[in-house]
Amino acid sequence: MSPISVLSSFKLTSSSEALEAAARWAKEQALAYASVSDPVGPWYEAALPGRQAFCMRDVAHMSAGAAVLGLGAHTKNMLQKFAENISESKDWCTFWEITKDGLPCPDDYTSDDDFWYNLPANFDVVDCCYRQYLWSGDLDYLNDERFLAFYERSLNDYVRRWDRDGDGIPDHVKGEGRRGIASYVEDSLTPRVGGDLVAAQYGAYAAYSAIASLRGEYDKAAHYMALAERLQRRFDAEWWSEAEQRFSAAILQDGRYHTDYYLSAHYMPVYFGLISSGEKRRLAVQDIIRNGVSNVEEMSHLADIYYAAGEKEAAYQSILTLCDEGTERREYPEVSYSVIGNMVTGLLGVRPYADQQLIEIAPQLPDEVDWVRAEGIAMLNNKLLVEVRDGRITVTNQQGPVIHVRIGDKRVSLAEREAFSV
C-alpha cells in the first residue's frame, strides 16, 4: 500500500474493554488498507488481501464504514471507476475488480469475452451510490453523467441482456462459466437465479426511484418504484415455501426452487429489505441465526442484518467475533470496515438523510454495555460526537454547518459545537 498514512478522527470509547479494543483494531486495520497516492486515485483495498484491488461487492458493503472514517472520497472514486467501465462489449457489465493502477484485475479478467462477474453486482453498486448520497449529500451521485449512465444501463440494458427467459430478472445459463454468475454464492450449484440477485435488483430499483425523485423526475421515480414493488410481490408469492417456512434460495437450471439454506442467497433478501412480511422476515432472520455463514466475508454482513431486525445481542456478538484474534482471516478488508460501519449505524443507531440534512439516532446497546461514546464520525459535511450513557443520548455537532437531529419524537437543529441530550 501507499507509504502515505491515511488518518481519521474517529474514536470510540466504552464501558466495555472488548468493544474499545475491537474499535481500535478495526480502525487501524481499515486505514492500513486506504491509499491516496496510486494511479487509480484515492482507494482502499476491497478484495482478497495482496491483490491490491477493489471489488464491486466488497466496496458496496464496506462503504458505510469507510464513510464513518472520512473515506467518502475514496469510495466515490472507486464507484466512479466502476461506472466509467460499463460497456456494451461486456454485455453491460463493468470490471468486477479494479487494481490500484486503474486496470481490470488479471485474476478476474482476461478479455471482454472472458471475465468473472456476479450478476447482483451492478444492482449492488446502484444501491450503494444512493446510500452514499444520503450519507454525504454529494450531488454528483444524483447528477454526474457517469453515474446516471450506469444507473440507466444497469436497470435497462443490463437486465434485458441477461434476462434470457423474459421474466424481467437476469439469469445464468449453465455452461457460460464465470461470466454472469447468478448469485454471490460461488459453488457448484450454479443456479439460474439466486435470491440475492432478486434482492439486489429490488434494492437498485428502489434506490433509483429515490434518485429520480430527488432529481424531480417523478414519472421515472414512479416507474422504478413500481418495478421494485412488483419484484417484491413476486418474491413473496412465488419464492416462499410453506412447508419449509422459509423463502427459497434459488431457482435451479431446471426451474425448480432450491429451498436448502444457501448463505447470501438467504441473507441478502433481509439485507436489501426485499421481504415485506414482518413474520416471514422474523423467520428469515431466525433462519440466519440458526444456520450461520461459511466465511468472514459472509460473517461481515450479519451485524447489518441483525441490527436491522432489532437483534441487538446477536449483532453485538457478531462484531466481537469478527474482531477476535482467533477468527480465521479477520484481516480480510471487509471485516474491519463492516465493524466500524455497524458500530455507528447499528450499535449507536446513527443514520444520515442528506436530502433533509437530517440525522436520526436510535441506539441498540446490548445488555452488557453500559455506555458508548464515539467522536469524529464523518457524516454529511460534519464531524459528530454521539454518546449513549445512563439511558440518555447526547449528540454534538463537533464540526460543520447546522444539522437537524431526530431522536425519538424530539427534533433539534445544532450549529457547530452545539450539543443536545435527551
Side-chain angles (χ1 to χ4, degrees):
M1 300 301 290
S2 166
I4 300 174
S5 295
V6 176
L7 304 176
S8 170
S9 58
F10 174 77
K11 180 181 180 182
L12 184 144
T13 52
S14 172
S15 58
S16 166
E17 292 183 5
L19 179 58
E20 274 198 19
R24 285 194 302 271
W25 171 80
K27 175 184 174 180
E28 181 179 353
Q29 181 72 80
L31 292 176
Y33 284 126
S35 173
V36 294
S37 61
D38 292 303
V40 77
W43 72 290
Y44 46 83
E45 195 155 3
L48 288 169
R51 282 192 177 178
Q52 301 283 284
F54 50 93
C55 158
M56 298 176 76
R57 184 196 65 80
D58 296 48
V59 172
H61 184 221
M62 293 163 65
S63 59
V68 169
L69 295 172
L71 303 179
H74 291 62
T75 301
K76 178 182 175 182
N77 178 55
M78 294 187 288
L79 293 173
Q80 284 176 331
K81 294 298 183 288
F82 292 134
E84 289 168 1
N85 284 289
I86 192 171
S87 68
E88 185 174 11
S89 62
K90 295 192 291 294
D91 293 320
W92 305 114
C93 299
T94 179
F95 295 134
W96 166 254
E97 194 170 357
I98 297 173
T99 70
K100 66 182 179 66
D101 295 316
L103 302 173
C105 182
D107 296 88
D108 295 319
Y109 176 89
T110 302
S111 70
D112 279 6
D113 297 316
D114 180 16
F115 56 89
W116 183 284
Y117 215 76
N118 300 70
L119 290 175
N122 280 42
F123 305 132
D124 212 347
V125 166
V126 173
D127 176 74
C128 176
C129 288
Y130 175 59
R131 289 186 287 108
Q132 284 296 290
Y133 163 72
L134 291 179
W135 197 290
S136 67
D138 187 337
L139 294 175
D140 280 351
Y141 288 111
L142 307 183
N143 300 322
D144 186 296
E145 291 300 327
R146 291 167 292 184
F147 284 132
L148 292 174
F150 182 82
Y151 306 153
E152 288 283 349
R153 293 297 193 186
S154 295
L155 299 184
N156 293 283
D157 304 87
Y158 179 75
V159 172
R160 285 190 291 268
R161 162 57 185 88
W162 292 95
D163 172 22
R164 269 68 71 88
D165 58 9
D167 66 352
I169 301 169
D171 48 75
H172 176 75
V173 174
K174 194 168 185 178
E176 291 183 343
R178 62 181 188 166
R179 196 175 185 274
I181 302 166
S183 170
Y184 281 143
V185 186
E186 299 162 350
D187 66 3
S188 59
L189 187 67
T190 60
R192 193 170 81 202
V193 180
D196 46 353
L197 172 55
V198 181
Q201 187 174 3
Y202 164 81
Y205 282 149
Y208 193 41
S209 172
I211 289 170
S213 182
L214 289 166
R215 287 173 51 80
E217 299 172 337
Y218 301 116
D219 288 346
K220 181 178 288 188
H223 170 70
Y224 285 101
M225 183 51 65
L227 290 176
E229 290 171 349
R230 175 176 175 269
L231 209 54
Q232 189 174 55
R233 288 193 300 270
R234 284 186 56 196
F235 186 78
D236 185 73
E238 299 172 13
W239 287 62
W240 177 254
S241 168
E242 192 64 30
E244 298 291 338
Q245 287 290 286
R246 66 158 54 127
F247 284 99
S248 299
I251 299 175
L252 302 178
Q253 292 291 325
D254 62 5
R256 288 181 297 116
Y257 284 93
H258 182 72
T259 58
D260 291 351
Y261 186 75
Y262 197 50
L263 303 166
S264 69
H266 263 115
Y267 66 69
M268 283 294 192
V270 180
Y271 177 82
F272 281 105
L274 174 63
I275 301 171
S276 57
S277 161
E279 175 60 15
K280 289 177 180 177
R281 188 166 175 262
R282 186 190 68 80
L283 290 170
V285 172
Q286 291 304 311
D287 210 8
I288 296 162
I289 292 174
R290 183 168 55 251
N291 287 283
V293 292
S294 66
N295 55 38
V296 294
E297 294 95 319
E298 294 166 351
M299 192 188 302
S300 72
H301 285 78
L302 293 182
D304 300 82
I305 292 161
Y306 295 155
Y307 279 126
E311 296 284 350
K312 63 181 184 180
E313 302 295 335
Y316 181 65
Q317 290 306 314
S318 71
I319 286 175
L320 295 186
T321 299
L322 284 170
C323 298
D324 191 286
E325 291 182 3
T327 296
E328 186 177 359
R329 296 176 61 242
R330 73 166 182 163
E331 71 282 357
Y332 190 86
E334 195 171 4
V335 171
S336 53
Y337 282 82
S338 169
V339 165
I340 294 295
N342 277 290
M343 285 178 175
V344 172
T345 64
L347 184 73
L348 289 171
V350 182
R351 297 280 177 160
Y353 298 93
D355 54 329
Q356 306 171 58
Q357 283 297 111
L358 174 70
I359 294 166
E360 284 190 338
I361 304 178
Q364 295 192 62
L365 268 60
D367 294 341
E368 68 184 76
V369 177
D370 295 325
W371 61 269
V372 178
R373 171 189 170 101
E375 56 189 282
I377 301 170
M379 187 172 287
L380 304 178
N381 292 307
N382 304 73
K383 294 290 181 67
L384 303 183
L385 183 155
V386 178
E387 182 175 78
V388 182
R389 185 191 296 259
D390 299 328
R392 290 185 67 79
I393 302 168
T394 301
V395 57
T396 305
N397 181 5
Q398 292 181 287
Q399 178 184 319
V402 172
I403 53 168
H404 308 296
V405 177
R406 184 164 61 209
I407 305 173
D409 60 356
K410 305 290 185 182
R411 178 168 173 156
V412 297
S413 298
L414 298 179
E416 190 170 64
R417 292 187 292 278
E418 282 191 333
F420 172 71
S421 295
V422 64

